[in-house]
Amino acid sequence: MKAVRIGICGLGTVGSGTFNVLRDNADVIAARAQAPLVVSVVGARRDNPLCDLSGTRVSRDIFEVAKDPDVDILVELIGGTTVAKELIETAILNGKHVVTANKALIAEFGNEIFALAAKHGVTVRYEAAVAGGIPIIKALREGLAGNRIEWLAGIINGTGNFILSEMHDHGREFSEVLAEAQALGYAEADPTFDVEGIDAAHKLVILASLAFGIPLQFESVYTEGISKLTPQDMDYAEELGYRIKHLGVAVQSDAGIELRVHPTLIPKDRLLANVNGVKNAVLVEGSAVGPTLYYGAGAGAAPTASAVVADLVDLARDFSAGQKNRVPALSFVNKALQDLPIVPMSDVVTPWYLRMEAEDKPGVLSQVARILSEQGISIEALIQKAPAAGAIRVPVIVLTNRAPQGKMDEAVRQIEALDSINSSISCIRVEMLDG
Amino acid sequence: MKAVRIGICGLGTVGSGTFNVLRDNADVIAARAQAPLVVSVVGARRDNPLCDLSGTRVSRDIFEVAKDPDVDILVELIGGTTVAKELIETAILNGKHVVTANKALIAEFGNEIFALAAKHGVTVRYEAAVAGGIPIIKALREGLAGNRIEWLAGIINGTGNFILSEMHDHGREFSEVLAEAQALGYAEADPTFDVEGIDAAHKLVILASLAFGIPLQFESVYTEGISKLTPQDMDYAEELGYRIKHLGVAVQSDAGIELRVHPTLIPKDRLLANVNGVKNAVLVEGSAVGPTLYYGAGAGAAPTASAVVADLVDLARDFSAGQKNRVPALSFVNKALQDLPIVPMSDVVTPWYLRMEAEDKPGVLSQVARILSEQGISIEALIQKAPAAGAIRVPVIVLTNRAPQGKMDEAVRQIEALDSINSSISCIRVEMLDG
């Protein structure tokens, strides 16, 4: 069997992980791929002490790897969306297949990269771009190919889930846990990407395209972070029978596609509510199969390498079988992709959790209930706590039935205008996740 | 694009489900498969009112379908291991690819069927044979292809899981829940296949072959059913921090392969412990990815059809790309399959849960502890309940550390010989499932 020749660009966490998995598991990988997978060349600015590069050709110029005649597949693991894009384009123009773990690049430039790849008859694979080692792209693109996907919801940022799990389990404040996550290396020095939901939005866009057959459209995702959540919210949610998770949610309805990343209350007996720490999980509702869930490590050297190598084995199996482009890049053939409308957030309907501080006097709650009712919103559950010693305001927590965000925004504006209520109501969506 | 022509044999639950999914989702399936999937002919002894067969050719002789020149892929959904085997062999000899949901057939005769298919250059797919709509075979064969699989553990029989969930949640007796499951259609009139673990053993054998690269070997599975479990065991387990699930477990160690189906205590915070009702889930530990879990409907018309259609789309994508036999039937290429030794159960090491009835008098527990200790088994936790009114014996529950079954069998034999202990100790394995 002819060896499949790989050029790895980038030797950071995932690059070194991929190099080592290919070496450590070479025997089982070759047995499955029907051919040995050989790293012909590594492109990296510097060596990584985690990799034994003896016997491996190393180039300090990654663009040389993209043109290397001894490379069949270029593995892009340098990250970012500028040089990485240029690198992948160079590889495609030189007839190389590409495997990447770069979620930002696929989410923002995937349409044009896939078009270029199709034009040049090569394949771009990106299993590692979403949820690390969980084979969720393969599940959506192949395993569930007989279904209309109705919705999906995922915990697709491990850093955020670690923070929320710690806040929930130990009653700790967001800022304190964030600092610890940074010290542990789970969170970047600038945590915006993770805690404001941008990273999750990149992944959600990819999942939604695969699920619904729509072009990638990062700019369409509504994104709301977790930095305003408090351990008190976690406690109140628990009291009501819910946990708070930072979810990416994509829904197909008659009105179009919903694409949103936000904190979400989910019933605590759902599996997704019990996915803790840095782990990821994606719940997918298919028209035939019903709900299926995929769980595992969403980041880290070896788990992400697992997904990169799965793509490499897939391509190697394609080569052995003498074929290419077996599976469309976004699951659906290009001409079947539909640019469906994105539902504006004001029209997105969910139940709601509200937390406010109210003066502990008669009539306040009836004013709140009246304002909600005028917007067509009814109250499902209500918790009013005893005032803290010396406090004149008490926490009031309201769980409503399903209402569009537009109506809820108007109700919240009016409630915040009441003298007896504080002027910053905490307002979190609820998803029942029942298929 | 050339249509892919399908012959469906069998029009029971799964057959009619497959027919309907192919019809209802024809547009998205064609868009993903790069070709329309068309049912050329249905082979069934009688029509099924759930299917509108108008416009579809129907044959009362399934063997005609296997020879039909207008069939590219035969879908075997008649079940059983005699006629079904002959049907599949006939199809292969006539150059047809085959998709089947038949776990018993694959588990017992897969080696010979795959060999025949390889000889005739056709592909046999069987995603629906394990865990219904969950794409677990694709995950093991493709999504985790970069990993050495270290172990897997699954809830792979929905009927059994429904019974255990009801016993746990409502304190009901096994026999009572079984009768209800039969009335609901979850359990067969003869429930042996489900409750004694034979169905789970069929599925476990398939998963283990895919995971470890070993030939299918149904005869090697140790199988223990759930009919002796009591709601009291559920309660005691809960008190100790565990739930009881009927698991299929496959482990690769230096000693060989463990293949076993049995009731198992698992820590109640594990996702697998929270998979309830008729749902299935499989937890897989890979050397690179760590633990991943796959959850969903393990049976039913549409979920199983989802898996059948996924296989059909896979084959159609292969045809479009002009290739065949892209993925080896058991994940590993044939010559890499290794007939590794199966570890005898007496050497299988797990922690243990023991429940016995002991006379409520001094010295009894010390005798039990001494016998365990002489076999090298130490006690991790112990519960002794107050005697029921008028009873002279009290329930004693012991959780031990890890011990081989051989040692535990000997200890139990000696404990049961004590005058002060009843002579039928309940003895259940524990798995921590921590990767």
Side-chain angles (χ1 to χ4, degrees):
Chain A
M1 286 172 293
K2 199 163 154 239
V4 174
R5 301 164 307 169
I6 295 160
I8 295 178
C9 289
L11 212 56
T13 304
V14 180
S16 58
T18 300
F19 184 90
N20 289 337
V21 167
L22 283 170
R23 184 198 56 204
D24 296 347
N25 296 347
D27 54 344
V28 290
I29 291 170
R32 292 180 179 127
Q34 322 207 31
L37 270 56
V38 174
V39 178
S40 311
V41 55
V42 167
R45 261 177 302 193
R46 64 188 72 85
D47 291 358
N48 183 329
L50 295 174
C51 290
D52 176 7
L53 292 170
S54 57
T56 303
R57 189 151 56 86
V58 179
S59 169
R60 294 295 171 217
D61 179 359
I62 50 174
F63 286 88
E64 272 184 12
V65 177
K67 298 169 190 164
D68 195 305
D70 287 334
V71 167
D72 302 311
I73 308 172
L74 179 133
V75 179
E76 182 278 303
L77 300 171
I78 63 171
T81 54
T82 52
V83 180
K85 179 164 180 279
E86 206 185 322
L87 176 68
I88 286 177
E89 287 167 349
T90 306
I92 292 171
L93 293 173
N94 282 275
K96 316 294 185 201
H97 302 278
V98 173
V99 171
T100 177
N102 194 325
K103 60 213 75 165
L105 185 64
I106 296 298
E108 296 180 31
F109 301 101
N111 298 323
E112 92 186 67
I113 289 170
F114 298 144
L116 188 70
K119 188 173 159 195
H120 291 271
V122 296
T123 301
V124 177
R125 292 292 187 111
Y126 52 95
E127 179 66 76
V130 180
I134 307 171
I136 180 64
I137 291 184
K138 185 170 277 287
L140 279 172
R141 194 155 62 173
E142 305 178 31
L144 304 179
N147 292 263
R148 294 177 198 281
I149 305 300
E150 296 173 353
W151 54 263
L152 59 85
I155 295 172
I156 45 181
N157 181 274
T159 308
N161 201 47
F162 170 80
I163 293 173
L164 295 188
S165 299
E166 286 291 307
M167 290 173 68
H168 174 273
D169 292 351
H170 306 293
R172 299 168 67 191
E173 294 291 340
F174 171 82
S175 55
E176 181 195 335
V177 184
L178 174 60
E180 183 188 319
Q182 288 170 320
L184 286 169
Y186 291 163
E188 305 287 330
D190 175 359
T192 314
F193 244 57
D194 289 320
V195 303
E196 296 305 336
I198 301 163
D199 175 73
H202 280 138
K203 296 166 182 167
L204 183 69
V205 158
I206 297 171
L207 294 177
S209 282
L210 289 164
F212 307 130
I214 57 176
L216 294 157
Q217 44 197 311
F218 176 63
E219 64 288 355
S220 305
V221 190
Y222 169 80
T223 306
E224 190 183 319
I226 57 172
S227 54
K228 287 178 190 151
L229 295 175
T230 67
Q232 289 73 39
D233 288 320
M234 307 281 173
D235 288 346
Y236 297 137
E238 189 78 28
E239 201 171 332
L240 291 161
Y242 295 80
R243 301 246 164 87
I244 303 179
K245 292 292 183 185
H246 199 198
L247 295 189
V249 179
V251 183
Q252 177 158 31
S253 70
D254 292 341
I257 304 288
E258 297 175 19
L259 282 179
R260 44 196 171 91
V261 173
H262 50 69
T264 317
L265 272 76
I266 53 182
K268 64 183 171 190
D269 64 351
R270 301 288 188 272
L271 286 185
L272 217 46
N274 292 285
V275 170
N276 293 318
V278 295
K279 288 294 199 289
N280 283 16
V282 181
L283 177 63
V284 182
E285 180 78 18
S287 61
V289 74
T292 56
L293 178 135
Y294 309 83
Y295 161 92
T304 310
S306 171
V308 169
V309 175
D311 277 346
L312 292 170
V313 171
D314 245 20
L315 288 172
R317 282 168 162 169
D318 287 353
F319 301 164
S320 306
Q323 66 104 97
K324 55 188 183 179
N325 286 327
R326 198 182 70 91
V327 182
L330 287 172
S331 186
F332 290 73
V333 292
N334 254 327
K335 69 179 171 107
L337 290 178
Q338 288 185 283
D339 201 356
L340 299 170
I342 301 297
V343 179
M345 285 307 289
S346 58
D347 293 349
V348 168
V349 177
T350 63
W352 293 87
Y353 160 102
L354 307 178
R355 177 173 52 81
M356 59 195 84
E357 303 276 318
E359 277 182 36
D360 188 19
K361 64 180 189 188
V364 176
L365 289 186
S366 74
Q367 283 179 296
V368 170
R370 180 186 51 76
I371 291 172
L372 287 169
S373 169
E374 283 170 5
Q375 297 298 324
I377 304 167
S378 62
I379 293 175
E380 291 281 317
L382 191 145
I383 300 175
Q384 181 178 337
K385 292 287 174 181
I392 54 158
R393 299 201 163 190
V394 295
V396 173
I397 294 87
V398 177
L399 204 64
T400 78
N401 67 354
R402 290 167 54 82
Q405 178 173 333
K407 298 284 184 189
M408 184 51 80
D409 284 350
E410 176 56 25
V412 165
R413 196 189 59 73
Q414 291 184 30
I415 296 170
E416 286 181 342
L418 295 174
D419 287 342
S420 48
I421 301 282
N422 67 323
S423 59
S424 66
I425 295 175
S426 168
C427 197
I428 310 176
R429 286 168 194 80
V430 180
E431 291 284 353
M432 300 308 292
L433 304 179
D434 42 4
Chain B
M1 286 171 292
K2 198 162 157 245
V4 174
R5 302 166 305 170
I6 295 161
I8 296 179
C9 290
L11 212 57
T13 303
V14 180
S16 58
T18 300
F19 184 90
N20 289 337
V21 167
L22 283 170
R23 184 198 56 202
D24 296 346
N25 296 347
D27 54 341
V28 291
I29 291 170
R32 292 181 178 127
Q34 321 207 32
L37 269 57
V38 175
V39 178
S40 312
V41 56
V42 167
R45 261 177 300 189
R46 63 188 73 84
D47 292 0
N48 183 328
L50 296 173
C51 290
D52 175 7
L53 292 170
S54 56
T56 303
R57 188 152 55 87
V58 179
S59 168
R60 295 294 172 217
D61 178 359
I62 50 174
F63 285 88
E64 273 183 12
V65 177
K67 298 168 189 164
D68 194 307
D70 286 334
V71 167
D72 302 311
I73 308 172
L74 178 133
V75 179
E76 182 279 303
L77 300 171
I78 62 170
T81 53
T82 52
V83 180
K85 179 163 180 278
E86 204 186 325
L87 176 69
I88 287 178
E89 287 167 350
T90 307
I92 291 171
L93 294 174
N94 282 274
K96 316 296 183 200
H97 303 277
V98 173
V99 171
T100 177
N102 194 326
K103 61 212 77 164
L105 185 63
I106 296 298
E108 297 180 30
F109 301 101
N111 298 322
E112 104 188 54
I113 289 170
F114 298 144
L116 188 70
K119 187 174 160 197
H120 291 270
V122 296
T123 302
V124 176
R125 291 293 186 109
Y126 52 95
E127 180 66 77
V130 181
I134 308 172
I136 181 63
I137 290 184
K138 185 169 278 286
L140 278 172
R141 194 156 62 173
E142 305 179 30
L144 304 180
N147 292 263
R148 292 176 199 283
I149 305 301
E150 297 173 354
W151 53 263
L152 59 85
I155 295 171
I156 45 182
N157 181 274
T159 308
N161 201 47
F162 169 81
I163 293 173
L164 295 188
S165 299
E166 285 293 306
M167 289 174 69
H168 173 272
D169 293 351
H170 305 293
R172 299 169 67 192
E173 295 291 340
F174 171 82
S175 55
E176 180 195 336
V177 185
L178 173 61
E180 182 188 321
Q182 288 170 321
L184 285 168
Y186 291 164
E188 306 288 330
D190 174 0
T192 314
F193 244 58
D194 290 320
V195 304
E196 296 305 335
I198 301 162
D199 176 72
H202 281 139
K203 297 165 182 167
L204 182 70
V205 158
I206 297 172
L207 294 176
S209 282
L210 289 164
F212 307 130
I214 57 175
L216 294 157
Q217 45 198 309
F218 175 63
E219 65 287 357
S220 306
V221 190
Y222 169 81
T223 306
E224 189 183 319
I226 57 173
S227 54
K228 289 180 190 149
L229 295 175
T230 68
Q232 289 74 40
D233 288 320
M234 307 281 172
D235 289 345
Y236 296 137
E238 189 77 29
E239 199 172 333
L240 291 160
Y242 294 80
R243 301 248 164 86
I244 303 179
K245 292 293 183 185
H246 200 199
L247 296 188
V249 179
V251 183
Q252 177 159 31
S253 71
D254 293 341
I257 304 289
E258 297 174 21
L259 283 179
R260 45 196 170 93
V261 173
H262 50 69
T264 318
L265 272 77
I266 54 181
K268 64 183 173 190
D269 65 350
R270 300 289 188 271
L271 287 185
L272 216 46
N274 292 284
V275 170
N276 294 317
V278 294
K279 289 293 199 290
N280 283 18
V282 181
L283 177 63
V284 183
E285 179 78 20
S287 60
V289 74
T292 56
L293 178 134
Y294 309 84
Y295 161 91
T304 310
S306 170
V308 170
V309 175
D311 277 346
L312 291 171
V313 170
D314 244 24
L315 288 172
R317 282 168 163 168
D318 287 354
F319 300 163
S320 306
Q323 65 104 98
K324 54 188 183 177
N325 287 328
R326 198 182 70 91
V327 181
L330 287 173
S331 186
F332 290 73
V333 292
N334 254 327
K335 69 181 171 105
L337 289 179
Q338 289 185 282
D339 201 355
L340 298 170
I342 302 296
V343 180
M345 285 307 291
S346 58
D347 294 348
V348 168
V349 177
T350 63
W352 293 86
Y353 160 102
L354 306 178
R355 176 171 54 80
M356 60 196 83
E357 303 276 320
E359 276 181 37
D360 187 21
K361 65 180 189 187
V364 176
L365 289 185
S366 75
Q367 283 179 296
V368 170
R370 180 186 50 75
I371 292 172
L372 287 168
S373 168
E374 282 170 4
Q375 297 299 325
I377 303 167
S378 62
I379 293 174
E380 291 281 318
L382 190 144
I383 300 174
Q384 181 178 337
K385 292 286 173 183
I392 54 159
R393 296 199 164 190
V394 295
V396 173
I397 294 87
V398 177
L399 205 64
T400 79
N401 68 354
R402 289 167 55 81
Q405 178 174 332
K407 298 283 184 189
M408 183 52 79
D409 284 349
E410 177 56 26
V412 165
R413 196 188 58 75
Q414 291 184 29
I415 296 170
E416 286 181 342
L418 295 174
D419 287 342
S420 48
I421 301 282
N422 67 322
S423 60
S424 66
I425 295 176
S426 168
C427 198
I428 310 176
R429 287 169 192 78
V430 180
E431 291 283 353
M432 301 309 292
L433 304 178
D434 41 4

